[in-house]
Amino acid sequence: MAPVAAASATERTAPRPKAVDGFWRVEGYGAVLAIRGGQLREYQTTDISCLKGDSAKRTAPGEYRAADGTVLTVRTRGARHGSLHLSGSAGDRQLRRVAELPTGCGRAMPEDPVTAFDVFWQSFEENYPFFAAKGIDWHAVRDRYRPKIHADTTRDELFAVFSEMVKPLYDAHVAVFDGERRFYEVRPGTTVPSRELDTKVKNHIVRRDLKGKKPQEFAGGRISYADLPDRGQGYLRISGFAGYDTKDPSYAAQLAELDKALDTVLTPARTASLKGLIIDLRVNGGGSDALGLHIAERLTDTPYIAYRKRTQYTRPQPIPVRPARDTPRYTGPVAVLTGGSTVSAGETFTQALIDRPGGTVRIGQSTQGVFSDVMDRRLPNGMAVWLPNEEFLTRTGDTFDGPGIPPHLRTPVFTKEEFKKNRDSAFDKAVAVLRD
């Protein structure tokens, strides 16, 4: 569930209630939450629209569970302010109490193509942070395409127009949906993570890098580990930060599976003896940022800031990495393997290790270049769109959205030639770097 937009002029300051019940604007996320009768309902807003979003049922005081297993935790700070935390996400979203829903939330919107176009365009106008960086004049895009839309525009034609509008963004966190149809574009020259690619890569690594010895597998095969014989090094491969427990989609269940893996891998004996750890994220489809932070907590004895998050309407929020308690921690050298198929939470985890004490070197190719949580926006005609609205900032205030996080040492990553000639240049470089 991803609430979204800017405050409406029709909102006014509310009286001073005592509970979380009432109406809350999610600052920077284009949404208002209506909380009452044990239910939380999201309203997705822009300056020209208000549409019902997802809902969640109360499971404990201040806690609500959505149908997809996401737990939303609402906390108040005085009478007028509060915070919203989504399980699996890094950081909190700031809430401001309002007296009522924005004008228009109580009535159905027209479902014609022109209205759908206007809401689509406005959703990006108010929330997408990267137009300037990508050299896109969004107003010129509207001027070009809106005259093509009219009352008789077909659904196929509208889908095609929306797809053409966002294609030049080459943003893997931007997608257009109409039923089973989906359009999205990744950064040119990169490959989308897939089960087929993951299997091909896994077999190549076992055969070539691990000399045929299968690694220990955890979390449904999404995490694997092997000691590298005679090298004193460890190899940890993570193909995603989701899907660890396929029966229970909740973040708590995924975290429990991750802890099982980490407790098995990072034992007192191993953390004391390892001379280097390779973390392979070259095929990683993303998932929960918080799971990556949880791993980072086992790789440091010193607190530090992983990154800072902000929207166009909010101040940067520091996201800390705090050393894990009551469990062994590995603090030695780390080599992180990345490539264009390192996506989303795979990238935020990579970024969380940039300022890690103890030494971290990145090897391979630049990551995909998408970091934000995805906003799931509904359109009046039943179509939908995904878009990002957050920036993940470095210590110097920069962002890697678009080009991705660059490696320190650039090598080929799973090219046709690498497979054909039985090579794994990034792995070999990591072994050599950690040995020195």
Side-chain angles (χ1 to χ4, degrees):
M1 177 175 178
V4 190
S8 167
T10 63
E11 295 170 5
R12 63 178 184 269
T13 303
R16 189 182 292 263
K18 297 180 179 179
V20 299
D21 281 18
F23 303 107
W24 299 90
R25 175 158 288 281
V26 189
E27 303 281 25
Y29 289 83
V32 173
L33 305 181
I35 304 176
R36 50 196 168 190
Q39 186 175 54
L40 180 152
R41 163 69 72 177
E42 174 200 32
Y43 289 84
Q44 300 176 355
T45 64
T46 71
D47 282 348
I48 64 170
S49 63
C50 180
L51 293 163
K52 280 187 178 181
D54 292 329
S55 63
K57 292 183 178 180
R58 186 171 61 202
T59 54
E63 290 189 357
Y64 300 82
R65 185 184 178 100
D68 65 358
T70 301
V71 175
L72 299 90
T73 303
V74 178
R75 295 286 182 264
T76 59
R77 288 197 314 275
R80 306 185 191 283
H81 299 280
S83 64
L84 170 69
H85 180 77
L86 277 64
S87 58
S89 182
D92 296 329
R93 302 178 183 185
Q94 301 308 305
L95 300 178
R96 176 171 55 86
R97 193 183 285 276
V98 293
E100 59 189 13
L101 290 173
T103 300
C105 289
R107 59 176 181 266
M109 291 193 66
E111 299 179 5
D112 63 285
V114 174
T115 301
F117 179 97
D118 288 343
V119 174
F120 177 89
W121 185 88
Q122 191 72 26
S123 296
F124 279 86
E125 167 71 4
E126 293 182 10
N127 296 288
Y128 191 74
F130 310 117
F131 287 126
K134 297 188 176 188
I136 302 295
D137 184 341
W138 192 237
H139 287 252
V141 172
R142 178 192 58 192
D143 294 344
R144 175 184 176 187
Y145 286 99
R146 195 178 190 277
K148 300 180 180 182
I149 308 303
H150 48 78
D152 296 325
T153 298
T154 68
R155 208 171 181 91
D156 289 345
E157 290 169 339
L158 191 60
F159 183 84
V161 166
F162 288 163
S163 301
E164 287 180 28
M165 290 171 67
V166 300
K167 180 177 180 179
L169 298 174
Y170 293 106
D171 189 324
H173 273 177
V174 171
V176 180
F177 297 87
D178 183 20
E180 297 299 316
R181 292 190 294 184
R182 180 175 71 161
F183 174 86
Y184 68 98
E185 284 282 346
V186 297
R187 180 163 59 82
T190 64
T191 302
V192 178
S194 65
R195 181 175 297 180
E196 293 74 21
L197 178 61
D198 186 62
T199 299
K200 181 179 181 180
V201 165
K202 182 183 294 187
N203 291 338
H204 181 73
I205 289 169
V206 170
R207 182 179 62 254
R208 194 262 183 197
D209 301 334
L210 304 183
K211 313 303 180 187
K213 183 180 178 181
K214 290 188 176 182
Q216 293 177 278
E217 291 198 341
F218 313 91
R222 308 214 75 188
I223 300 173
S224 58
Y225 177 82
D227 289 314
L228 302 183
D230 305 321
R231 294 171 181 164
Q233 299 170 2
Y235 174 77
L236 177 65
R237 182 170 183 267
I238 306 170
S239 63
F241 291 97
Y244 295 168
D245 185 330
T246 57
K247 295 181 179 179
D248 184 348
S250 70
Y251 173 73
Q254 314 313 308
L255 181 61
E257 290 299 312
L258 175 60
D259 273 332
K260 289 179 186 178
L262 295 177
D263 289 344
T264 303
V265 171
L266 298 178
T267 62
R270 184 171 281 123
T271 54
S273 64
L274 273 184
K275 298 177 181 178
L277 178 64
I278 300 171
I279 302 179
D280 192 346
L281 306 173
R282 287 175 292 177
V283 181
N284 186 297
S288 297
D289 296 331
L291 293 178
L293 292 170
H294 193 72
I295 299 175
E297 291 171 351
R298 299 229 188 179
L299 301 176
T300 182
D301 282 339
T302 306
Y304 67 96
I305 299 300
Y307 38 74
R308 290 170 173 81
K309 286 179 64 173
R310 73 175 177 197
T311 73
Q312 296 185 91
Y313 309 100
T314 58
R315 295 179 178 179
Q317 177 184 177
I319 307 299
V321 175
R322 300 183 178 92
R325 295 182 178 181
D326 304 321
T327 186
R329 298 185 295 268
Y330 171 73
T331 60
V334 169
V336 180
L337 310 186
T338 66
S341 298
T342 308
V343 180
S344 194
E347 301 184 79
T348 65
F349 175 51
T350 302
Q351 188 167 349
L353 298 181
I354 289 178
D355 290 327
R356 169 187 172 268
T360 301
V361 59
R362 299 185 303 277
I363 301 172
Q365 295 288 316
S366 297
T367 64
Q368 175 64 220
V370 292
F371 296 77
S372 172
D373 290 351
V374 174
M375 296 173 62
D376 182 356
R377 306 298 285 179
R378 300 176 183 182
L379 301 180
N381 67 344
M383 297 173 70
V385 60
W386 284 358
L387 70 153
N389 72 316
E390 301 168 335
E391 293 178 286
F392 281 59
L393 304 176
T394 66
R395 181 171 15 94
T396 56
D398 299 316
T399 175
F400 296 110
D401 275 276
I405 301 176
H408 295 108
L409 303 173
R410 194 170 293 275
T411 70
V413 172
F414 303 132
T415 62
K416 291 181 180 179
E417 185 177 13
E418 289 272 294
F419 284 122
K420 182 178 179 180
K421 296 186 176 181
N422 195 35
R423 293 176 180 168
D424 191 347
S425 299
F427 178 89
D428 291 347
K429 178 64 71 173
V431 169
V433 167
L434 294 177
R435 185 187 296 132
D436 293 343

